[in-house]
């Protein structure tokens, strides 16, 4: 039997209330995935379920399904808790709007890992009142019945049946005779199902049929699935009652959750200053890259799927808080330290905060700007995948700079946008010796869809290029895919810079061609000529391939490009490597393409462009 833990939910009530709580008592839980919140006995909720199912005699494998937004949290949890990291599945979603749905998440694991065994499914973010129930007993009961198994319990008086999946059970056979998802009336049953099921291998194929009938993620819940399977398909499904209470964390508020936090400190923070929080977004290069570092032209777009967020709060001393994932100071074991260091190296985001602060002070001193004597605490969070060329480092620097400017009342006239992009680049190149170009920093400062001209004449005369925000209305549907285990994206630059500086004709002409493609793409965007834009994207990739060579681009990038083209999609690299961005004009093939990329071990998502004109405060929250 195989166990699958589901933790791919987005935007729960509890998470929102913790984030908006102004008492400061729960600030240490902000951004923590709900399954990793404290449960009973000093354990994280997911720790309890992992301990419960981590029994080799019962399960041959255990998988965990999460979303792209929280993937790194669970990956780190896995390495610290002896959970196989390769069994943590990323469904590619980053928001509630682009979620797959619970049944689709389960089907993703079954399909991508080619599972052909009985399955136990558990919501890994579910609180269980009784920590001592015997899961082997559940499996024995399941084995004794000729069908599926649903765990249920009897609602407390204060709980409403309209908020749960309600079952009617035959007392003689334990067969569920009817399933009702959040009924308003029509039943007197107080028996509520929870996301705790056992499903026979022969029934797994029904999931694909169900998903084909339910294109909307909101309808892909287990409640709707069981309604269909039991009420319409008349399959034999049995119920098992556990004499304990269950709570999905997404369905409770902060006041209901506080009883689980008694082991946490409730020390009241007296700092009355309102923290400043700013975001900067990942970007995709749509045209012209990588010519931004070679006096070329590019068009890039910021995307709201992935972001870096920095929070600044006034404090007695200046404190830079390490990120628990990206700047680890505690490890589950020496093996944990070894695995993390081998995969992610030693360079987290803390150095980016420090370098930005240093450069900011240096800039203000040089510009004659007197800073007030105020200290602060900086912390950051990010869901931008590492080493796939989506501008994760510069996003942290950009968001930090926004916070510092707001805290010290530095205006746009003090630090104009074109100069601000140079500032961010200099933090990375001068302070941290990161190889980079201006494109990412420009689009993260201006935000949206931006045309950029980095011609030598402009750069020499004014110190920056010509940057023009473009109309973002009625853009076509772009998609993004990236490698789950990328190599160092910085290596893709190879020896091109040396060849360009030495005046090698092939490289110089290529950079000029990139600029020409960008100008043509600007016209195509203006004219809404998406077929032309798609052709230009393909030409951009082939031009890059001709000068960088396949060996430099790497087999992973080439496989993604080849896969996209099998579905007739335009495709190119959005950055330095490890990801591809595409434009599929035949949207009917988008679902097939998503599945193909997922089966190939890649993370796939539809791009949500970030439009600053539609945002309230341009990246500040």
């Amino acid at each position: 039997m195989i166990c699958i833990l589901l933790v791919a939910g987005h935007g729960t009530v509890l998470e929102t209330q913790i984030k908006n709580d102004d008492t400061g008592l729960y600030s240490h839980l902000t951004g923590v995935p709900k399954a990793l919140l404290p449960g009973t006995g000093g354990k994280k909720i997911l720790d309890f379920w992992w301990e419960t199912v981590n029994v080799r005699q019962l399960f041959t494998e255990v998988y965990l399904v999460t979303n792209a937004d929280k993937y790194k949290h669970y990956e780190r949890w896995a390495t610290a808790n002896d959970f196989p990291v390769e069994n943590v599945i990323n469904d590619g979603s980053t928001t509630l709007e682009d979620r797959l749905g619970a049944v689709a998440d389960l089907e993703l694991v079954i399909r991508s890992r080619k599972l052909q065994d009985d399955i136990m499914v558990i919501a890994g973010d579910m609180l269980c009142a009784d920590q001592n129930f015997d899961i082997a007993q559940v499996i024995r009961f399941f084995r004794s019945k000729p069908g599926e198994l649903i765990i249920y319990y009897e609602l407390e008086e204060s709980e409403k049946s309209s908020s749960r999946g309600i079952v009617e059970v035959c007392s003689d056979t334990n067969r569920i005779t009817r399933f009702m998802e959040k009924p308003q009336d029509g039943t007197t049953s107080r028996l509520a199902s929870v996301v705790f099921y056992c499903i026979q291998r022969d029934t797994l194929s029904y999931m694909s049929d169900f998903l084909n009938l339910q294109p909307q993620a909101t309808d892909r819940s287990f409640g709707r699935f069981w309604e269909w399977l039991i009420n319409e398909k008349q399959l034999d499904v049995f119920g098992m009652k556990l004499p304990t209470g269950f709570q999905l964390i997404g369905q409770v508020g902060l006041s209901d959750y506080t009883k689980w936090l008694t082991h946490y400190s409730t020390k009241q923070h007296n700092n009355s200053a309102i923290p400043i929080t700013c975001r900067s977004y990942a970007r995709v290069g749509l045209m012209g890259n990588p010519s931004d570092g070679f006096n070329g032209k590019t068009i890039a777009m910021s995307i709201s799927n992935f972001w870096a967020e920095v929070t600044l709060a006034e404090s007695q001393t200046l404190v830079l808080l390490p990120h628990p994932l990206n700047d680890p100071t505690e490890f589950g074991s020496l093996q944990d330290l070894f695995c993390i260091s081998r995969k992610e190296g030693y360079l987290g985001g803390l150095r980016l905060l420090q370098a930005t602060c240093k450069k900011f002070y240096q800039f203000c001193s040089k510009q004659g700007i007197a800073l007030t004597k105020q200290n602060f605490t900086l912390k950051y969070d990010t869901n931008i995948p590492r080493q796939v060329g989506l501008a994760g480092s510069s996003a942290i620097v950009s968001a930090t700079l926004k916070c510092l400017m707001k805290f010290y009342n530095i205006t746009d006239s003090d630090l104009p946008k074109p100069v601000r992009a140079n500032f961010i680049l200099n933090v990375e190149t001068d302070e941290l010796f990161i190889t980079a170009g201006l494109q990412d920093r420009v689009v993260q400062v201006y935000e949206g869809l931006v045309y950029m001209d980095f011609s030598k004449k402009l750069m020499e005369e004014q110190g920056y290029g010509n940057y023009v925000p473009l109309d973002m209305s009625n853009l076509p549907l772009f998609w993004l895919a990236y490698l789950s285990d990328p190599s160092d994206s910085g290596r893709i630059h190879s020896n091109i810079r040396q060849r360009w500086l030495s005046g090698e004709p092939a490289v110089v002409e290529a950079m000029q061609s990139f600029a020409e493609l960008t100008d043509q793409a600007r016209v195509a965007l203006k004219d809404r000529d998406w077929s032309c834009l798609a052709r230009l994207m393909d030409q951009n990739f082939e031009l890059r391939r001709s000068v960088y060579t396949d060996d430099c681009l790497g087999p992973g990038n080439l496989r993604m490009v080849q896969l996209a083209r099998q579905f007739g999609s335009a495709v190119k690299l959005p950055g330095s490597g490890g990801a591809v961005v595409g434009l599929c004009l035949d949207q009917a093939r988008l679902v097939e393409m998503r599945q193909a990329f997922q089966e190939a071990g890649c993370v796939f998502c539809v791009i949500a462009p970030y439009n600053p004109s539609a945002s309230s405060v341009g990246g500040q929250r």
Side-chain angles (χ1 to χ4, degrees), residues 249-508:
I249 295 302
Q251 298 179 358
V252 302
L254 182 58
S255 60
D256 294 322
Y257 176 70
T258 52
K259 60 186 176 183
W260 306 103
L261 302 177
T262 55
H263 62 289
Y264 266 74
S265 171
T266 57
K267 182 179 178 181
Q268 177 69 44
H269 297 284
N270 295 319
N271 189 354
S272 60
I274 299 175
I276 299 166
T277 300
C278 297
R279 273 190 178 183
S280 284
Y281 295 90
R283 66 88 194 93
V284 289
L286 293 181
M287 195 63 59
N289 60 303
S291 72
D292 56 309
F294 306 93
N295 296 133
K297 299 177 182 179
T298 68
I299 295 174
M301 179 172 67
S302 51
I303 63 175
S304 60
N305 306 66
F306 300 108
W307 44 262
E309 182 175 274
V310 174
T311 298
L312 183 153
E314 188 173 357
S315 56
Q316 292 295 316
T317 57
L318 200 156
V319 181
L320 306 179
L321 294 178
H323 192 278
L325 292 178
N326 302 322
D327 309 291
T329 56
E330 293 184 15
F331 302 88
S333 65
L334 188 60
Q335 181 187 18
D336 182 29
L337 182 150
F338 168 79
C339 292
I340 293 170
S341 302
R342 180 179 62 179
K343 182 177 181 180
E344 300 185 3
Y346 309 99
L347 303 177
L350 198 62
R351 62 186 181 131
L352 299 169
L353 303 185
Q354 186 171 351
T356 306
C357 290
K358 186 236 181 186
K359 201 75 174 177
F360 179 78
Y361 181 85
Q362 181 180 340
F363 172 85
C364 291
S365 298
K366 185 176 180 180
Q367 295 299 118
I369 301 173
L371 300 177
T372 56
K373 293 184 177 180
Q374 292 174 279
N375 283 325
F376 52 84
T377 295
L378 273 180
K379 64 178 181 180
Y380 77 99
D381 193 12
T382 180
N383 72 345
I384 302 176
R386 297 183 67 176
Q387 298 182 343
V388 295
L390 296 179
S393 295
S394 59
I396 295 174
V397 175
S398 175
T400 304
L401 180 59
K402 288 180 183 179
C403 285
L404 291 170
M405 290 181 66
K406 190 173 181 66
F407 184 69
Y408 286 108
N409 295 315
I410 303 301
T411 66
D412 285 347
S413 59
D414 296 323
L415 189 50
K417 285 186 175 182
V419 179
R420 205 179 308 167
N422 290 350
F423 175 99
I424 296 169
L425 179 64
N426 291 338
V427 169
E428 298 180 81
T429 57
D430 296 352
E431 300 296 323
L432 301 173
F433 308 105
I434 297 173
T435 301
L438 265 171
Q439 170 189 253
D440 303 356
R441 292 85 203 157
V442 172
V443 73
Q444 284 169 339
V445 168
Y446 283 80
E447 299 181 325
L449 182 65
V450 185
Y451 167 91
M452 293 160 268
D453 180 355
F454 303 101
S455 71
K456 184 177 181 180
K457 184 174 185 291
L458 285 172
M459 297 299 293
E460 289 180 347
E461 289 181 355
Q462 61 188 26
Y464 50 84
N466 181 33
Y467 312 136
V468 183
L470 302 179
D471 182 13
M472 297 187 70
S473 60
N474 302 314
L475 286 175
L477 203 64
F478 295 99
W479 57 265
L480 177 74
Y482 58 90
L483 300 171
S484 299
D485 186 18
S487 59
D488 181 10
S489 62
R491 288 183 296 189
I492 202 160
H493 290 291
S494 186
N495 63 346
I496 290 293
R497 176 157 296 279
Q498 289 79 8
R499 293 165 61 191
W500 179 73
L501 290 172
S502 65
E504 182 179 321
V507 177
V508 173

Side-chain angles (χ1 to χ4, degrees), residues 69 74 80 90 122 177 196 268 292 315 325 442 466 540-541 552:
D69 187 42
Y74 290 110
N90 186 337
I122 301 174
T177 57
F196 192 157
Q268 177 69 44
D292 56 309
S315 56
L325 292 178
V442 172
N466 181 33
N540 194 123
F541 175 77
C552 183

Side-chain angles (χ1 to χ4, degrees), residues 39 51 102 131 133 149 177 191 349 470 491 502 517 550 611:
E51 290 175 14
Q131 299 266 303
F133 75 87
L149 180 65
T177 57
L191 305 179
L470 302 179
R491 288 183 296 189
S502 65
L517 290 174
D550 286 1
N611 187 346

Side-chain angles (χ1 to χ4, degrees), residues 91-393:
D91 75 2
S93 67
T94 58
T95 65
L96 186 65
E97 289 71 26
D98 73 348
R99 69 192 185 280
L100 274 63
V103 178
D105 278 321
L106 177 58
E107 193 269 344
L108 168 63
V109 185
I110 294 168
R111 172 170 43 81
S112 63
R113 299 306 171 95
K114 299 178 174 60
L115 304 184
Q116 296 179 343
D117 202 351
D118 295 340
I119 301 291
M120 177 178 282
V121 185
I122 301 174
D125 56 3
M126 184 168 58
L127 291 171
C128 178
D130 182 5
Q131 299 266 303
N132 298 309
F133 75 87
D134 182 11
I135 200 165
Q137 183 183 15
V138 176
I139 297 175
R140 286 195 298 270
F141 187 83
F142 168 61
R143 300 288 190 209
S144 72
K145 297 295 181 180
E148 324 317 313
L149 180 65
I150 289 179
I151 302 300
Y152 67 89
Y153 76 103
E154 190 163 357
L155 290 170
E156 301 281 345
E157 286 186 5
S158 61
E159 295 180 285
K160 296 180 180 179
S161 59
S162 59
S163 66
R164 298 297 177 89
I166 300 299
V167 295
E168 293 178 352
V169 185
C170 175
S171 58
D172 294 330
T173 63
N174 302 112
R175 187 175 182 270
I176 295 177
T177 57
R178 192 159 64 129
F179 189 103
M180 294 146 286
E181 177 69 348
K182 301 178 181 178
Q184 298 300 316
D185 49 39
T187 182
T188 58
S189 175
R190 298 282 294 168
L191 305 179
S193 75
V194 295
V195 183
F196 192 157
Y197 318 117
C198 294
I199 304 173
Q200 298 180 114
R201 72 185 75 182
D202 294 335
T203 309
L204 298 178
S205 60
Y206 280 90
M207 289 186 185
S208 296
D209 297 336
F210 171 77
L211 292 172
N212 289 334
L213 295 172
Q214 305 292 350
Q216 300 298 322
T218 52
D219 297 322
R220 293 179 163 189
S221 66
F222 277 110
R224 297 301 180 199
F225 174 72
W226 290 118
E227 274 188 329
W228 175 74
L229 204 64
I230 295 170
N231 303 350
E232 294 186 31
K233 305 301 289 185
Q234 298 289 306
L235 259 66
D236 287 334
V237 179
F238 299 86
M240 184 178 188
K241 182 180 180 180
L242 291 184
T244 185
F246 293 86
Q247 285 284 349
L248 279 171
I249 295 302
Q251 298 179 358
V252 302
L254 182 58
S255 60
D256 294 322
Y257 176 70
T258 52
K259 60 186 176 183
W260 306 103
L261 302 177
T262 55
H263 62 289
Y264 266 74
S265 171
T266 57
K267 182 179 178 181
Q268 177 69 44
H269 297 284
N270 295 319
N271 189 354
S272 60
I274 299 175
I276 299 166
T277 300
C278 297
R279 273 190 178 183
S280 284
Y281 295 90
R283 66 88 194 93
V284 289
L286 293 181
M287 195 63 59
N289 60 303
S291 72
D292 56 309
F294 306 93
N295 296 133
K297 299 177 182 179
T298 68
I299 295 174
M301 179 172 67
S302 51
I303 63 175
S304 60
N305 306 66
F306 300 108
W307 44 262
E309 182 175 274
V310 174
T311 298
L312 183 153
E314 188 173 357
S315 56
Q316 292 295 316
T317 57
L318 200 156
V319 181
L320 306 179
L321 294 178
H323 192 278
L325 292 178
N326 302 322
D327 309 291
T329 56
E330 293 184 15
F331 302 88
S333 65
L334 188 60
Q335 181 187 18
D336 182 29
L337 182 150
F338 168 79
C339 292
I340 293 170
S341 302
R342 180 179 62 179
K343 182 177 181 180
E344 300 185 3
Y346 309 99
L347 303 177
L350 198 62
R351 62 186 181 131
L352 299 169
L353 303 185
Q354 186 171 351
T356 306
C357 290
K358 186 236 181 186
K359 201 75 174 177
F360 179 78
Y361 181 85
Q362 181 180 340
F363 172 85
C364 291
S365 298
K366 185 176 180 180
Q367 295 299 118
I369 301 173
L371 300 177
T372 56
K373 293 184 177 180
Q374 292 174 279
N375 283 325
F376 52 84
T377 295
L378 273 180
K379 64 178 181 180
Y380 77 99
D381 193 12
T382 180
N383 72 345
I384 302 176
R386 297 183 67 176
Q387 298 182 343
V388 295
L390 296 179
S393 295

